[in-house]
């Protein structure tokens, strides 16, 4: 059976943490340095306290003291629920935020900063913990299929891409058509070379279906009447000298004619016929010429071209 293979990248994305750093705190400058500091930055935009000699943070071109900035804009940490202050790194992933020290694997508690990780049900896991808990095992080597790696799925089982190969030539099957025999997968050329039958008529490979005649395999389209070339698959036919014939061709070419009804005697379906001297009859046609009683298995007499039962022969 030819099948198509489903290929999928792992359903849980494999990310490195994206570290975003909040606007740098800026030391204030003296009023004399008016070319570098505008009047709008001399006071906190929210509490209006002077920023002279203090650090401040900018947001949408407005300056804020550190206290106001943190209370207004700091993101809460997903882990400890405390605000991520503006002098700390804010690690963000899919709209969620962590302190650098809180960005850890949920299971083993190791830091995930600048390391690959996987997400499952909103939990962050290092690749080792995720693999132990959720990853599929390769049907061939029984090793874990790591998150982010390409896996092949076929008939409910999973493979590493490098393990999903033809059983004979060992070449990767990828998404190419394949044929399964038992629990083993083969590319089409190898299967044909090793197992496929070849049509007795055209000598080409039979990939599906086919018929058997005289212990030889045939394509359905190659198994035809030796006379009219009509396909015989699923039809009644008669063999003559090793060749198959449809009923019509056999009747025209070879069948004897019934001495009574003049129709061909094909013997299809195990039908009985009677032969006497050079003449043949269908079983149902072998009757007394006068009273029409069946003479099959009975004694009879002939008179010219007629066959008669003993009663009719004695009376005439």
């Amino acid at each position: 059976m030819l099948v198509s293979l489903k290929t999928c990248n792992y359903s849980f994305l494999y990310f490195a943490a994206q570290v975003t750093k909040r606007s740098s705190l800026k030391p204030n400058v003296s009023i004399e340095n008016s070319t570098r500091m505008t009047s709008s930055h001399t006071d906190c935009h929210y509490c209006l306290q002077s920023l002279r000699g203090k650090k401040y943070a900018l947001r949408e071109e407005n300056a804020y003291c550190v206290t106001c900035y943190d209370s207004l804009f700091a993101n809460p940490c997903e882990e400890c629920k405390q605000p991520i202050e503006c002098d700390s790194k804010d690690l963000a992933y899919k709209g969620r935020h962590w302190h650098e020290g809180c960005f850890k694997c949920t299971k083993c508690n190791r830091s995930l900063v600048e390391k690959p990780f996987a997400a499952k049900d909103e939990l962050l896991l290092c690749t080792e913990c995720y693999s132990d808990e959720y990853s599929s095992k390769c049907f061939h080597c029984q090793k874990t299929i790591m998150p982010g790696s390409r896996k092949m799925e076929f008939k409910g089982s999973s493979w590493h891409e490098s393990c999903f190969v033809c059983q004979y030539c060992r070449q990767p099957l990828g998404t190419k058509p394949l044929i399964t025999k038992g629990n083993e997968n083969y590319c089409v050329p190898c299967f044909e070379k090793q197992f496929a039958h070849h049509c007795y008529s055209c000598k080409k490979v039979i990939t599906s279906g086919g018929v058997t005649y005289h212990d030889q395999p045939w394509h359905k389209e190659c198994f035809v009447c030796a006379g009219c070339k009509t396909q015989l698959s699923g039809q009644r036919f008669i063999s003559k000298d090793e060749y198959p014939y449809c009923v019509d061709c056999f009747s025209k070419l070879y069948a004897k004619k019934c001495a009574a009804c003049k129709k061909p005697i094909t013997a299809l379906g195990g039908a009985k016929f009677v032969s006497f001297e050079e003449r043949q009859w269908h079983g149902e046609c072998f009757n007394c010429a006068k009273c029409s009683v069946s003479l099959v298995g009975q004694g009879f007499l002939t008179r010219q071209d007629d066959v008669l039962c003993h009663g009719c022969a004695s009376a005439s």
Side-chain angles (χ1 to χ4, degrees), residues 1-3 177-181 184-188 191-192:
M1 176 180 64
L2 293 177
V3 298
L178 62 90
I179 302 175
T180 299
K181 182 177 176 63
E184 297 175 341
N185 302 315
Y186 296 86
C187 64
V188 174
F191 184 87
E192 291 178 351

Side-chain angles (χ1 to χ4, degrees), residues 19-136:
V19 179
T20 57
K21 192 174 182 180
R22 196 177 305 282
S23 301
S24 300
L25 295 179
K26 300 180 183 293
N28 210 331
V29 295
S30 64
I31 194 68
E32 289 79 14
N33 194 1
S34 58
T35 58
R36 298 181 61 191
M37 181 176 182
T38 65
S39 60
S40 63
H41 292 168
T42 58
D43 298 327
C44 172
H45 184 71
Y46 186 74
C47 69
L48 302 180
Q49 291 186 9
S50 174
L51 296 175
R52 294 177 182 276
K54 299 178 181 178
K55 292 182 178 180
Y56 68 95
L58 289 175
R59 183 181 177 90
E60 296 177 354
E61 299 186 359
N62 295 316
Y64 295 84
C65 65
V66 172
T67 302
C68 288
Y69 188 94
D70 287 341
S71 64
L72 293 171
F73 305 117
N75 294 305
C77 174
E78 194 75 22
E79 178 64 24
C80 69
K81 311 305 180 185
Q82 297 300 312
I84 303 172
E85 299 172 342
C86 60
D87 58 351
S88 302
K89 286 184 179 179
D90 182 337
L91 276 65
Y93 170 66
K94 288 191 173 180
R96 301 158 69 201
H97 301 264
W98 289 262
H99 289 105
E100 187 174 19
C102 295
F103 194 65
K104 299 176 181 179
C105 171
T106 304
K107 190 172 183 181
C108 70
N109 214 35
R110 285 185 294 181
S111 175
L112 298 176
V113 177
E114 296 183 358
K115 295 179 181 178
F117 63 90
K120 172 69 174 177
D121 299 330
E122 297 190 353
L123 300 178
L124 303 183
L125 299 166
C126 65
T127 53
E128 291 83 358
C129 289
Y130 183 88
S131 298
D132 291 342
E133 195 75 20
Y134 301 109
S135 291
S136 303

